[in-house]
Amino acid sequence: MRIVRNVAAIFMLAGLGFTGSVQAADDPIATRQAIMSSVGAAAGLGGGMMKGEVTFSPVAGKAAIATMNAAAASFGDFFPEGSDQGDTGALPAIWENADGFAAELAKFSAAAGKAMEASGKDGPADLDAFKAAMGPVFGTCKSCHETYRKKN
Ligand code: HEC
């Protein structure tokens, strides 16, 4: 059930491309957290297919990749000055070392952009193609979180 819901959410978010976000203007923390939640859902779907817990399909692979790509393109827009305060998992290092954070964002969007290209119009042809495309995107989570996200 959970996976079915996540897939629906991914299709919705990928379709919107985040352009229509209603919270963007007044609640950047909620917006960036919602974007990262979609990344978490896409990682759940993608990781599930990689582990064989979810049956691979090209269209689901493409949905996971498109979600990563949309998130990478929009996430960085929701860190205005002052939004380090409040209910957020973002560390002050984001604002203290803005260039370093931008570099992590650039790695994320480069990997997601490449995965988009590799997956073509119809999605990755098979699971190996999906792993090759998505693997580098997964590689970017940890290095950003390590420095810029609070530990739970
Ligand atoms: C460029 C930096 C960066 C990258 C890359 C990144 N994250 Fe995050 N992530 C963050 C930050 C910062 C937060 C905390 C946001 C906040 O609470 O304001 C976060 C929060 C999250 C959350 C919690 C969202 C919520 O509901 O509060 C999840 C889940 C998550 N990330 C998953 C991932 C996964 C999976 C990847 C890799 C595919 C990834 N992230 C890549 C910076 C990043």
Side-chain angles (χ1 to χ4, degrees):
M1 272 316 281
R2 204 171 74 91
I3 282 162
V4 171
R5 207 166 359 99
N6 285 348
V7 171
I10 284 165
F11 276 110
M12 209 185 72
L13 286 163
L16 285 175
F18 298 114
T19 48
S21 177
V22 284
Q23 299 168 314
D26 51 358
D27 197 348
I29 294 176
T31 303
R32 71 195 185 215
Q33 288 175 343
I35 293 171
M36 266 298 147
S37 291
S38 79
V39 168
L45 172 61
M49 288 191 291
M50 287 176 176
K51 286 185 248 165
E53 292 165 357
V54 179
T55 307
F56 172 79
S57 84
V59 72
K62 175 96 190 217
I65 287 169
T67 300
M68 294 294 186
N69 195 46
S74 56
F75 187 60
D77 289 350
F78 298 97
F79 292 86
E81 286 294 333
S83 67
D84 56 329
Q85 304 295 319
D87 187 11
T88 175
L91 281 175
I94 290 173
W95 293 270
E96 288 160 10
N97 182 10
D99 289 350
F101 184 60
E104 292 294 342
L105 266 176
K107 278 197 253 171
F108 182 36
S109 69
K114 263 197 190 164
M116 272 303 265
E117 273 173 38
S119 68
K121 192 165 91 41
D122 300 325
D126 55 27
L127 185 57
D128 282 342
F130 177 69
K131 283 182 183 167
M134 191 62 127
V137 179
F138 280 166
T140 65
C141 317
K142 191 166 170 247
S143 68
C144 187
H145 285 178
E146 238 163 33
T147 313
Y148 299 105
R149 184 186 175 198
K150 291 174 193 165
K151 312 271 175 287
N152 307 314

